[in-house]
């Protein structure tokens, strides 16, 4: 039997094919929520167990040049946050790709990783230079700014919400540079609360 021409369905099919060939659509909203919750937990742990509950807006242990031990502990805390956050994001995105029948490693995802990776690697090297120079007060702003730049760079290969999240991360990083005494709170806001909000928006729009 000859297939009837259905303009709307055909246009939707063409649009879906074009999006899959130019944009990475396997990012999971739940991964953003999970990463955000992990970041909030890690930030709160840093305040109470590393900064000893000093929440009066003045963190001398973090910003004095001789606070090497504190900086080392904060680095360890950041790594303990980063590893499970990345692993959970990869796992949830992989599950979404399998559920929707999307190939997760494709030319588009390779371009996404490249555009995401260059600013992140550059930022990581820059942060190590700051750490080696004992410029601890610039580390949190640099984390947020370079992460935001990475999201903006990668945003054209995936959902538009990634671009907007990147812009908000950059603004948060600049605020942390202007108000370094509140850096830890802005870190929690940028990596924690913004990710949770972004994840919930993504889940409502694309995951259900």
């Amino acid at each position: 039997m000859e297939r009837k021409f259905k303009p709307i369905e055909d246009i939707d099919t063409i649009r879906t094919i074009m999006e899959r060939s130019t944009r990475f659509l396997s990012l999971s909203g739940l991964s953003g929520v999970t990463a955000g919750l992990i970041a909030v937990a890690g930030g709160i742990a840093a305040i109470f167990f590393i900064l000893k509950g000093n929440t009066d807006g003045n963190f001398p242990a973090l910003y004095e040049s001789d606070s090497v031990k504190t900086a080392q502990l904060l680095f360890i805390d950041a790594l303990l946050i980063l590893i499970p956050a990345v692993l959970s994001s990869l796992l949830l995105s992989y599950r979404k790709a399998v559920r929707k029948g999307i190939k997760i490693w494709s030319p588009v995802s390779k371009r996404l990783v490249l555009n995401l990776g260059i600013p992140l690697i550059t930022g990581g090297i820059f942060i190590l230079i700051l750490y080696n120079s004992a410029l601890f007060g610039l580390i949190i702003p640099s984390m947020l700014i370079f992460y935001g730049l990475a999201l903006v760079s990668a945003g054209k290969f995936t959902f538009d919400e990634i671009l907007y999240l990147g812009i908000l991360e950059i603004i948060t990083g600049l605020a942390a540079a202007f108000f370094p005494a509140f850096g830890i709170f802005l870190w929690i806001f940028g990596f924690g609360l913004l990710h949770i909000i972004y994840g919930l928006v993504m889940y409502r729009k694309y995951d259900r």
Side-chain angles (χ1 to χ4, degrees):
M1 181 180 296
E2 187 176 345
R3 177 181 178 273
K4 293 183 178 179
F5 178 65
K6 298 180 179 180
I8 296 178
E9 291 183 7
D10 289 344
I11 291 172
D12 288 340
T13 301
I14 293 171
R15 183 184 297 114
T16 300
I17 293 172
M18 291 181 64
E19 283 187 342
R20 290 191 178 186
S21 64
T22 59
R23 307 178 76 189
F24 183 74
L25 304 177
S26 297
L27 292 177
S28 170
L30 290 178
S31 67
V33 175
T34 302
L37 290 173
I38 293 172
V40 169
I44 292 174
I47 289 174
F48 288 101
F49 295 104
I50 299 176
L51 299 174
K52 307 300 183 183
N54 183 9
T55 58
D56 60 358
N58 180 27
F59 300 116
L62 179 58
Y63 298 110
E64 290 177 358
S65 60
D66 61 349
S67 59
V68 176
K69 183 177 180 181
T70 300
Q72 289 175 342
L73 291 174
L74 289 172
F75 256 90
I76 293 172
D77 183 67
L79 286 176
L80 292 176
I81 294 169
L82 177 64
I83 293 173
V86 170
L87 290 178
S88 64
S89 296
L90 290 174
L91 176 61
L92 290 169
S93 294
Y94 175 76
R95 289 180 59 186
K96 179 181 175 181
V98 171
R99 188 175 71 250
K100 291 183 173 292
I102 301 174
K103 187 178 180 181
I104 195 167
W105 191 243
S106 64
V108 177
S109 61
K110 292 176 184 178
R111 290 195 294 271
L112 173 68
V113 170
L114 178 64
N115 281 266
L116 187 69
I118 292 175
L120 285 180
I121 293 172
T122 304
I125 295 172
F126 182 72
I127 289 167
L128 289 175
I129 294 171
L130 293 176
Y131 177 83
N132 190 57
S133 302
L135 298 172
F136 304 134
L138 294 176
I139 289 178
I140 286 177
S142 298
M143 285 182 174
L144 291 162
I145 290 171
F146 277 99
Y147 178 61
L149 290 172
L151 294 181
V152 170
S153 176
K156 57 182 174 290
F157 298 107
T158 184
F159 299 109
D160 293 336
E161 285 78 5
I162 293 294
L163 172 64
Y164 306 140
L165 176 62
I167 294 173
L168 291 174
E169 296 287 356
I170 293 172
I171 293 172
T172 304
L174 292 173
F178 275 108
F179 306 103
F182 299 98
I184 191 68
F185 294 117
L186 290 168
W187 190 95
I188 293 172
F189 174 77
F191 288 110
L193 296 181
L194 283 181
H195 270 98
I196 293 172
I197 295 170
Y198 145 81
L200 291 174
V201 170
M202 292 281 289
Y203 180 76
R204 286 177 59 102
K205 289 185 66 174
Y206 305 113
D207 288 6
R208 292 194 300 175

